[in-house]
Amino acid sequence: VMQVAVGARPRVSVFGDDYDTPDGTGVRDYIHVVDLALGHLAALRTLPQVSGCEPINLGTGRGYSVLEVIEAAKIASGNPIAHEITARRGGDVGCVFADPSHAKRRLGWSAERDLDQMVADHWAWQSANPNGF
C-alpha cells in the first residue's frame, strides 16, 4: 500500500470484495512492528520460567479490512492509493485475527498501537526510503 503511495507501484490488488465482512474485503489483524518486537521481548523475558514450548498469539485482537488500510494510508500519506478489485486467492478466508488474551495473561503484553499509528509510522519510513533499504 505504501509503495503505491510513494509511487513505486501503480496500484494495490485487493483480492476479493465479496467476503462476509462490512465492506466485502478481507479483514486481518495488522500489528505494528514495534508492538510485535515488544511481544517477542516479553516472550524472551519469560524463558527462565518456562519448560517446553507454548504457542502464544501476538496481535491486536481487532481486524481491519483491506479497504480500511487503504483509506488510512491515503490519509497518512496525503496521496491517493490506486487499487483494483481482483479475484479472491485460493485459501483466503474473510476474517482472521488473533485473540491476544493469553499473551496478556502469560507475558503481560498487549499491542498499544492502532491502525492510524501503524500507517503513519510506515509512511514516515517509506517516504524517507522510497526504494526500500
Side-chain angles (χ1 to χ4, degrees), residues 1 4 13-14 22 34 50 59 83 87 102 105 108:
V1 172
V4 173
S13 294
V14 178
V34 171
V50 175
H83 61 281
H102 187 60
R105 282 190 311 273

Side-chain angles (χ1 to χ4, degrees), residues 39-107:
H40 281 86
L41 290 173
L44 288 171
R45 283 192 295 275
T46 67
L47 284 179
Q49 297 91 34
V50 175
S51 64
C53 295
E54 182 178 351
I56 299 176
N57 289 319
L58 299 180
T60 65
R62 188 223 192 270
Y64 297 99
S65 76
V66 175
L67 291 181
E68 284 180 292
V69 172
I70 289 170
E71 182 62 23
K74 176 180 138 186
I75 292 166
S77 69
N79 295 323
I81 309 293
H83 61 281
E84 171 184 32
I85 306 296
T86 62
R88 286 185 182 197
R89 294 179 298 190
D92 276 353
V93 297
C95 184
V96 62
F97 53 92
D99 175 356
S101 61
H102 187 60
K104 180 69 173 170
R105 282 190 311 273
R106 189 73 172 92
L107 306 176

Side-chain angles (χ1 to χ4, degrees), residues 10 21 28-30 35 37 52 64 94-95 99 101:
T21 62
R28 302 291 180 265
D29 190 347
Y30 298 96
D35 282 330
Y64 297 99
C95 184
D99 175 356
S101 61

